[in-house]
Amino acid sequence: MIEDLWYKNAVIYSLALDSFMDGNGDGCGDFEGLMRRLDYLETLGVDAIWLGPFQPSPWKDNGYDISDFYGVDPRFGSSGDFVEFMQHAHGRGIRVLMDLVVNHTSDRHEWFQSARSDPDSRHRDWYVWSKQRPSNWRKGMVFPGVQTSTWSRDPEAGLWYYHRFYDFQPDLNIDNPEVRTEIRRIMGYWLQLGVSGFRMDAVPFVIEGSPSATVRKPPLHFEYLTQMRSFLQWRTAGAIMLGEANVLPPESKKYFADGNGINMMFNFYVNQHHFYALASGDARPLAQALKATRSLPPSAQWAHFLRNHDELDLGRLTKAQKAEVMERFGPEPTMQLYDRGIRRRLAPMLGERSQIELAYSTLFAFPGTPVIRYGDEIGMGENLALKEREAVRTPMQWSHEEHAGFTTAEKPHKPLVTDGPYGYQHVNVEAQRRDPHSLLNWTVKMIRLRKECPEIGWGSWRVLATRQPSVLALIYEWRGNAVVTVHNFAGVPKDVRLDLGDVEGGERLSNLIDVEEKTADKAGVHRVALEAYGYKWYRVGGLGYALKWERDSGAGVRW
């Protein structure tokens, strides 16, 4: 059972194959290049890689417009290259998750071509059609700044088809049992090739009932998720679904379905309040967001993140909170994506090394599984000259050599960050490997620290009172062991008092980062001094306490 729940204490690394490493010199990242960098990822300490889309695609939406669910796009290599990559990854103990993009297909997919050309095609009902233009044809757009409708007329079919995203991405009719069977077949194919699960794209739209000209708000079919979970467990032990669903906390419970739905879900709610805390110095809304999302089935887990391949969404904040985050991290119009978010990388947004460390230390201390975006471990910047979300999808910066060591081609397929303090000449893996004080080496140490604290992934937790609005303190307890993390979001030093109550061994704290031993006063209270943007991790009862418990209980070390 412990092995099947591997994801509860894992560190996941998110990367875009086309922007990570070019192995054949054509300017585009590929599986050959990724294989060459597996040693780097192993040294970094990650447990799993989440791969962005790599299946055949016209590439109008970074591969999220798939034209063949059972292949590898030639720009990335062959199916044989994928199999070889999987063998090398597994040889290093690294699991692989892949994007499952089944809300829609490319309009060039053979299913859609068949559906549009023949009314009697078996694929006609695999998509959502309307004879008349629906009255809500301009409602529900995901990209309102660039998308003009959610229904478009196909001249060949003479019908209107539904597309929650762009018009070249017609939605599949998930209500059709044949489509759901095909989705399970797709999952089974990639599971057979060794993946450990799927990051499921746009989950709320996948389970949304097919709209029509008369139904304005289709129901959500959560039973579709339980069917997929059942299939997943039957086919591969330990395989998971990691869902993308930016929903409010009360709604998230339905996606986990008492442990029978998706295994993990990205915690957008905490992510947005985390950035508010970083912008304002007020940790109280963040603490409330954590409490609001704490109720989970035993086998479920949150995936916490700082940045991803999209914009920083701020839609769950109040109007005043959103304005404060925008002013602090995206004050210029070029940094914003319409009115909904910020299209920047983490390092230039936060600016100060101390605040970057605070952000990542808090991420690792959150109750859940941390997900790191490629390049953030070295503090890469964005290229705001690129349109929309492309600004944060620039190639990985490996060295100060031409094209950042990403490719030997004359021109990379995507522009690099070349100017300013975040240019690849200054920010790259090669330089930071040799610098003991670099962000990269600090990140490696923090990943190691996170793995030394399995209480965070397995244990129960609560927020400790600090009487300081800027300080977030959490305690985790599991099998007689406990860990305390304390983070100061203010730009000035803070002193806090921590009362661990009746926690066993709570009279003593050992710092897991610095040389520091603390003993509680006569009232059982610890006094902790934090620097501006400071953070501390403590083991309750002393450094040898956990090993002592294991020895006395005869349980044996389980992590």
Side-chain angles (χ1 to χ4, degrees), residues 29-79:
D30 47 41
F31 280 113
E32 182 180 345
L34 178 54
M35 277 188 283
R36 295 181 188 178
R37 297 305 186 191
L38 283 173
D39 288 337
Y40 168 78
L41 296 176
E42 182 181 17
T43 302
L44 191 59
V46 302
D47 301 284
I49 302 170
W50 159 29
L51 293 177
F54 59 80
Q55 292 145 306
S57 165
W59 218 255
K60 290 184 178 181
D61 184 23
N62 268 271
Y64 285 90
D65 48 330
I66 295 173
S67 57
D68 178 7
F69 288 101
Y70 296 98
V72 172
D73 195 291
R75 76 191 71 198
F76 303 131
S78 65
S79 295

Side-chain angles (χ1 to χ4, degrees), residues 277-305:
L278 291 166
S280 67
D282 186 355
R284 291 172 296 182
L286 172 58
Q288 292 303 315
L290 288 167
K291 292 176 182 178
T293 57
R294 71 178 305 157
S295 180
L296 288 177
S299 63
Q301 184 70 298
W302 286 114
H304 291 287
F305 64 102

Side-chain angles (χ1 to χ4, degrees), residues 464-475:
L464 293 174
T466 65
R467 300 181 181 178
Q468 291 285 2
S470 66
V471 178
L472 175 69
L474 301 170
I475 182 169

Side-chain angles (χ1 to χ4, degrees), residues 1 10 51 115 137 141 171 174 191 223 308 335 351 363 378 386 443 454 464 469 484 504:
M1 184 63 175
L51 293 177
W137 68 299
M141 293 171 288
D171 270 34
I174 310 296
L191 289 169
E223 68 272 18
N308 59 20
M335 299 173 177
L363 174 73
I378 61 171
L386 302 178
T443 303
L464 293 174
V484 172
E504 187 176 355

Side-chain angles (χ1 to χ4, degrees), residues 85-155:
F85 155 71
M86 291 297 301
Q87 290 177 332
H88 282 279
H90 288 164
R92 290 167 172 80
I94 298 176
R95 299 175 184 265
V96 178
L97 306 176
M98 63 176 285
D99 261 331
L100 183 66
V101 186
V102 292
N103 174 72
H104 51 263
T105 71
S106 165
D107 59 3
R108 298 187 191 179
H109 197 292
E110 64 177 0
W111 300 342
F112 189 72
Q113 293 298 319
S114 170
R116 77 197 312 184
S117 62
D118 183 1
D120 298 322
S121 167
R122 64 182 291 260
H123 294 121
R124 174 58 73 97
D125 194 42
W126 283 34
Y127 295 88
V128 182
W129 303 93
S130 175
K131 293 182 179 179
Q132 306 295 327
R133 186 182 73 183
S135 59
N136 59 347
W137 68 299
R138 290 188 181 272
K139 300 291 180 64
M141 293 171 288
V142 177
F143 308 123
V146 293
Q147 200 179 346
T148 58
S149 70
T150 52
W151 289 87
S152 293
R153 188 178 187 278
D154 180 59

Side-chain angles (χ1 to χ4, degrees), residues 92 107 143 146 226-227 245 295 325 334 380 442 505 527 545 555:
R92 290 167 172 80
D107 59 3
F143 308 123
V146 293
T226 60
Q227 293 168 9
S295 180
V325 177
T334 56
M380 275 178 55
W442 177 88
R527 298 178 183 274
Y545 193 80

Side-chain angles (χ1 to χ4, degrees), residues 288-550:
Q288 292 303 315
L290 288 167
K291 292 176 182 178
T293 57
R294 71 178 305 157
S295 180
L296 288 177
S299 63
Q301 184 70 298
W302 286 114
H304 291 287
F305 64 102
L306 287 167
R307 291 296 293 112
N308 59 20
H309 59 294
D310 288 328
E311 74 278 7
L312 172 61
D313 193 326
L314 303 174
R316 300 303 179 186
L317 301 180
T318 66
K319 187 176 181 180
Q321 289 173 335
K322 179 179 177 181
E324 191 163 356
V325 177
M326 282 283 198
E327 178 61 30
R328 172 66 174 83
F329 297 137
E332 300 176 16
T334 56
M335 299 173 177
Q336 303 168 9
L337 189 60
Y338 308 109
D339 188 43
R340 67 173 184 263
I342 300 173
R343 60 186 204 108
R344 302 188 71 193
R345 279 272 194 170
L346 181 71
M349 271 201 297
L350 301 183
E352 299 179 41
R353 167 69 180 268
S354 59
Q355 206 171 16
I356 295 173
E357 288 189 11
L358 172 68
Y360 259 112
S361 178
T362 319
L363 174 73
F364 290 128
F366 282 157
T369 298
V371 181
I372 303 172
R373 181 63 175 167
Y374 82 94
D376 279 354
E377 73 273 21
I378 61 171
M380 275 178 55
E382 69 274 346
N383 185 343
L384 293 175
L386 302 178
K387 66 177 184 178
E388 298 175 12
R389 296 168 295 168
E390 294 300 310
V392 298
R393 299 173 177 178
T394 57
M396 181 69 173
Q397 296 168 193
W398 295 104
S399 71
H400 67 278
E401 298 173 346
E402 188 176 16
H403 304 321
F406 163 75
T407 182
T408 57
E410 291 186 8
K411 183 180 180 181
H413 83 301
K414 287 184 177 180
L416 288 142
V417 177
T418 57
D419 302 323
Y422 298 98
Y424 68 81
Q425 302 89 341
H426 311 293
V427 177
N428 61 72
V429 171
E430 183 182 61
Q432 293 197 20
R433 268 179 169 166
R434 298 195 297 262
D435 179 0
H437 305 294
S438 69
L439 181 60
L440 174 60
N441 282 313
W442 177 88
T443 303
V444 171
K445 293 176 183 177
M446 292 303 294
I447 290 175
R448 186 182 304 124
L449 173 60
R450 172 62 179 79
K451 291 185 174 183
E452 291 172 357
C453 300
E455 296 89 345
I456 297 177
W458 289 110
S460 60
W461 64 273
R462 57 190 168 94
V463 177
L464 293 174
T466 65
R467 300 181 181 178
Q468 291 285 2
S470 66
V471 178
L472 175 69
L474 301 170
I475 182 169
Y476 293 89
E477 297 178 80
W478 180 63
R479 291 185 173 181
N481 301 300
V483 168
V484 172
T485 64
V486 193
H487 293 83
N488 175 26
F489 287 85
V492 295
K494 295 290 181 179
D495 292 321
V496 298
R497 295 160 53 90
L498 298 179
D499 185 352
L500 302 187
D502 58 355
V503 177
E504 187 176 355
E507 70 280 354
R508 185 182 175 195
L509 294 177
S510 294
N511 195 312
L512 295 174
I513 299 175
D514 297 319
V515 179
E516 179 193 16
E517 297 287 330
K518 298 190 69 64
T519 303
D521 60 22
K522 293 181 180 180
V525 174
H526 291 275
R527 298 178 183 274
V528 178
L530 295 166
E531 297 177 351
Y533 304 129
Y535 53 91
K536 293 190 176 183
W537 290 50
Y538 294 106
R539 180 162 293 286
V540 177
L543 294 178
Y545 193 80
L547 292 178
K548 175 183 181 300
W549 178 85
E550 290 286 356

Side-chain angles (χ1 to χ4, degrees), residues 174-185 224 227:
I174 310 296
D175 286 344
N176 186 331
E178 289 186 10
V179 173
R180 298 200 299 277
T181 298
E182 187 68 26
I183 290 173
R184 293 193 292 271
R185 186 175 292 119
Y224 296 167
Q227 293 168 9

